[in-house]
């Protein structure tokens, strides 16, 4: 009693001094090159508390506090609220404040929906009917349905693993792979497919964007044009230049508006393409039998390439952790809640775009579908039936979507470039250095696109090589990080799903390589007769 009396007589200011802290895990802030405030590393005391694996508020409950005097009770209650606001005292890397992915942490569920829609709907949907031409109705719909639910489950896994370890946020796909597979093996397994996916998608976007700009010009200009038109390569260069200009936006949150534009345009033109195709008269020689090739091996490789195109339609998991990293996170408000809320809305809309385009496009053109996809089919078969204004609007929406998608898929590569620079110089990139990286990256993709202009083949190979990122690695990561009971259903399920994804990746990659060789390094774009 005497000790309790002494405590009550002691001034409250001498007991504990608790600093005020913002409502994010990143306590101090610094000014980044882009002018936005971003997290700096947490104090040493916070880092030590975060790595101790101990929850300081676990013992503070009303039952425990009731016998304590009022001043001490008030201090402990304040401490509890402070710790809950700070969260799990995440240990942050000071370098994160300089990099495009983690430079700004003011994201929310709306941003998550915009980014996921922009990454999940795009030109890859327009190539899905090409896969159906080799698979037919039954196998086409079945493979598309299985791939959709499989990738939706692995997306949920990545969202949950973002903060699987208390005091640590895995802001990038490679960081999570290192935590699961080890420092070196994680880099070898994840770095190549994620960078290849980002760069390969950017190259494919230059191909489809440049070709669509050419189709737009030909549609608007019509037969009245007397001047010499630009060549396809020159249209690629025009599109690449526009992408480079837009890529000067500094970080992932700063392109949320572009992602919204990309999402709206993707939903609009996906709907317009299949509605216009279905509403027109089908070609007289149409057939729904899968395309048959001279030999069994050629047919088998074509089917594998078609399945790779289906897998490529669901790329985008290499951006899930990065999108979630742009959100603040505390114990009361963890980042996985708004991330999953936005992702659910996005993937419902993605399903409403991909399935009608694949099914409606195959119904309209059957195995007459050009290798370039729905836009080429629409231009080849119905350029004289559909009003020029409506056709031109469809092409223009595709161009806007490709410009927006280029930004979000290029952001992880920009982050890697700047991470290498800041780790060597120990200072943030200047505006000129950052611009130089992005100009260099844009023109490298342009030259690759000029050298390899065959979209349907590169889509199959991209789907095969990057399939583990979406379908296999998240299952392995769940087992290695969450550690379910050995030989339990969860253990068997995730190991089986992961190895099945690896097997599919090898098979689809072989099909994609065969298709690239067989195409003769040439993509045939259909022209009106």
């Amino acid at each position: 009693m005497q000790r309790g009396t002494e405590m009550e007589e002691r001034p409250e200011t001498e007991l504990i001094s608790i600093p005020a802290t913002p409502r994010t895990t990143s306590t101090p802030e610094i000014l980044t090159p882009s002018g936005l405030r971003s997290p700096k590393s947490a104090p040493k005391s916070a880092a030590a508390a975060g790595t101790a694996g101990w929850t300081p508020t676990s013992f503070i409950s009303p039952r425990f506090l009731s016998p304590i005097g009022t001043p001490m009770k008030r201090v402990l209650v304040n401490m509890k609220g402070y710790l809950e606001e700070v969260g799990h005292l995440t240990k942050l890397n000071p370098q994160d404040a300089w990099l495009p992915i983690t430079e700004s942490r003011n994201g929310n569920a709306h941003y998550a929906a915009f980014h996921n829609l922009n990454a999940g709907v795009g030109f890859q949907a327009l190539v899905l009917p090409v896969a159906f031409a080799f698979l037919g109705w039954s196998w086409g719909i079945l493979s598309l349905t299985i791939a959709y639910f499989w990738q939706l489950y692995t997306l949920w896994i990545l969202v949950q693993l973002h903060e699987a370890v208390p005091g640590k946020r895995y802001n990038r796909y490679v960081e999570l792979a290192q935590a699961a597979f080890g420092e070196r093996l994680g880099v070898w397994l994840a770095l190549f497919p994620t960078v290849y996916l980002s760069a390969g998608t950017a190259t494919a976007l230059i191909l489809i964007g440049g070709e669509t700009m050419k189709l737009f010009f030909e549609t608007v200009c019509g037969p009245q044009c007397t001047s010499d038109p630009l060549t396809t390569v020159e249209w690629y260069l025009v599109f690449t230049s526009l992408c480079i200009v837009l890529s000067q936006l500094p970080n992932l949150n700063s392109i949320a508006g572009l992602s919204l534009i990309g999402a709206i345009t993707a939903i609009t033109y996906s709907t317009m393409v299949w509605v216009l195709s279905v509403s027109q008269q089908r070609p007289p020689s149409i057939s729904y039998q899968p395309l048959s090739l001279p030999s069994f091996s050629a047919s088998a490789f074509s089917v594998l390439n078609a399945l790779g195109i289906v897998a490529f339609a669901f790329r985008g998991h290499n951006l899930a952790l990065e999108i979630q990293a742009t959100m603040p996170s505390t114990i009361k408000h963890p980042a996985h809640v708004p991330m999953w809320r936005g992702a659910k809305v996005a993937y419902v809309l993605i399903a409403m775009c991909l399935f009608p385009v694949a099914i409606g496009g195959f119904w309209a053109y059957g195995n007459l579908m050009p290798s370039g996809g729905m836009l080429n089919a629409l231009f080849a078969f119905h350029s004289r039936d559909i009003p020029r204004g409506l056709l031109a609007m469809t092409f223009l929406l595709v161009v806007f979507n490709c410009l927006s998608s280029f930004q979000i898929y290029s952001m992880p590569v920009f982050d890697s470039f700047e991470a290498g620079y800041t780790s060597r110089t120990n200072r943030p990139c200047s505006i000129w250095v950052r611009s130089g990286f992005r100009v260099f990256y844009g023109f490298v993709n342009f030259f690759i696109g000029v050298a390899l202009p065959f979209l349907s083949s590169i889509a199959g190979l991209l789907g095969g090589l990057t399939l583990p990122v979406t379908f296999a690695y998240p299952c392995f990561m769940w087992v290695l990080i969450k550690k379910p009971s050995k030989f339990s259903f969860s253990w068997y399920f995730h190991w089986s799903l992961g190895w099945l994804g690896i097997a599919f990746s090898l098979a689809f990659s072989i099909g994609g390589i065969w298709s690239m060789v067989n195409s003769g390094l040439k993509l045939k774009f259909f022209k009106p007769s």
Side-chain angles (χ1 to χ4, degrees), residues 193-514:
T194 53
V195 172
Y196 179 77
L197 180 58
S198 295
T201 302
T203 301
L205 285 166
I206 290 175
L207 293 178
I208 192 69
E211 181 64 24
T212 307
M213 290 182 76
K214 181 181 179 182
L215 294 177
F216 172 76
F217 177 78
E218 292 176 355
T219 303
V220 173
C221 190
Q224 290 78 20
C225 269
T226 56
S227 60
D228 293 333
L230 296 177
T231 64
T232 304
V233 174
E234 289 171 337
W235 282 114
Y236 291 164
L237 183 59
V238 172
F239 182 83
T240 303
S241 301
L242 293 176
C243 289
I244 291 174
V245 171
L246 291 176
S247 69
Q248 302 309 311
L249 292 171
N251 54 60
L252 191 55
N253 271 339
S254 66
I255 65 169
L258 282 178
S259 290
L260 175 60
I261 295 173
I264 293 173
T265 53
I267 294 172
T268 305
Y269 79 70
S270 296
T271 305
M272 290 178 64
V273 162
W274 74 263
V275 168
L276 289 175
S277 298
V278 170
S279 62
Q280 300 299 317
Q281 186 175 2
R282 288 179 291 175
S285 58
I286 191 172
S287 173
Y288 298 112
Q289 293 297 322
L291 290 173
S292 59
L293 296 177
S295 63
F296 173 78
S297 59
S299 298
F301 286 134
S302 298
V303 169
L304 291 176
N305 182 61
L307 292 173
I309 293 175
V310 173
F312 180 60
F314 296 106
R315 85 266 190 270
H317 281 31
N318 63 313
L319 296 168
L321 294 171
E322 284 79 355
I323 294 172
Q324 195 168 346
T326 64
M327 302 178 182
S329 184
T330 65
I331 287 180
K332 281 186 174 180
H333 306 286
H336 70 84
V337 175
M339 175 63 184
W340 183 239
R341 188 185 304 128
K344 285 188 295 185
V345 174
Y347 275 86
V348 168
L349 296 174
I350 288 172
M352 294 171 62
C353 293
L354 297 187
F355 282 87
V357 168
I359 296 172
F362 186 57
W363 182 87
Y365 306 110
N367 55 19
L368 298 178
M369 174 65 61
S371 60
M374 286 286 287
L375 288 181
N376 293 22
L378 202 64
F379 191 86
F381 294 106
H382 303 301
S383 59
R384 297 176 181 176
D385 304 327
I386 300 173
R388 279 199 308 169
L390 196 59
L391 201 60
M393 182 186 298
T394 305
F395 293 149
L396 189 61
L397 290 174
V398 174
V399 172
F400 286 158
N401 174 256
C402 290
L403 288 171
S404 302
S405 297
F406 185 92
Q407 308 309 317
I408 191 168
Y409 271 95
S410 301
M411 199 59 71
V413 181
F414 298 157
D415 190 84
S416 299
F417 285 162
E418 296 186 28
Y421 176 85
T422 54
S423 62
R424 286 177 174 82
T425 62
N426 198 28
R427 65 172 182 266
C429 292
S430 65
I431 295 177
W432 295 110
V433 172
R434 174 173 280 180
S435 298
F437 281 145
R438 302 185 180 196
V439 171
F440 169 77
Y441 172 77
F443 281 109
V444 165
N445 284 288
F446 164 74
F447 288 120
I448 295 175
V450 172
L452 306 174
F454 33 91
L455 179 60
S456 62
S457 300
I458 198 175
L461 182 60
L462 277 171
L465 290 179
T466 60
L467 185 144
V469 173
T470 300
F471 296 97
Y473 289 166
C475 302
F476 294 145
M477 292 171 180
W478 182 268
V479 175
L480 296 173
I481 294 178
K482 289 294 186 178
K483 301 186 185 305
S485 300
K486 202 171 183 180
F487 306 121
S488 63
F489 172 78
S490 176
W491 189 87
Y492 276 117
F493 178 73
H494 290 96
W495 276 117
S496 303
L497 211 58
W499 284 114
L500 188 63
I502 295 295
F504 283 154
S505 174
L506 295 175
F508 299 168
S509 299
I510 294 172
I513 293 172
W514 176 89

Side-chain angles (χ1 to χ4, degrees), residues 21-93:
T21 307
R23 287 179 167 264
T24 65
T25 58
S26 48
T27 2
E29 293 182 343
I30 64 172
L31 196 63
T32 61
S34 63
L36 298 177
R37 294 194 175 275
S38 294
K40 209 164 76 174
S41 59
K44 292 183 179 180
S45 59
T51 57
W54 169 72
T55 307
T57 62
S58 56
F59 69 93
I60 304 177
S61 63
R63 184 184 299 272
F64 177 80
L65 293 174
S66 56
I68 303 180
T70 302
M72 187 63 180
K73 178 176 179 178
R74 188 182 304 120
V75 169
L76 292 176
V77 170
N78 290 339
M79 180 187 292
K80 178 184 177 183
Y82 165 72
L83 293 173
E84 287 178 346
E85 288 299 317
V86 172
H88 34 63
L89 299 172
T90 304
K91 183 179 180 180
L92 298 175
N93 185 351

Side-chain angles (χ1 to χ4, degrees), residues 152-224:
L152 190 60
Y153 176 68
T154 53
L155 176 65
W156 178 84
I157 288 178
L158 291 177
V159 171
Q160 298 301 315
L161 291 181
H162 178 80
E163 296 172 287
V165 177
K168 173 69 176 177
R169 292 185 71 177
Y170 299 110
N171 297 316
R172 297 161 184 85
Y173 197 99
V174 176
E175 294 178 9
L176 184 60
Q178 288 179 300
F181 304 119
E183 293 291 329
R184 290 190 177 182
L185 184 60
V187 172
W188 280 102
L189 290 177
L191 186 61
F192 170 74
T194 53
V195 172
Y196 179 77
L197 180 58
S198 295
T201 302
T203 301
L205 285 166
I206 290 175
L207 293 178
I208 192 69
E211 181 64 24
T212 307
M213 290 182 76
K214 181 181 179 182
L215 294 177
F216 172 76
F217 177 78
E218 292 176 355
T219 303
V220 173
C221 190
Q224 290 78 20

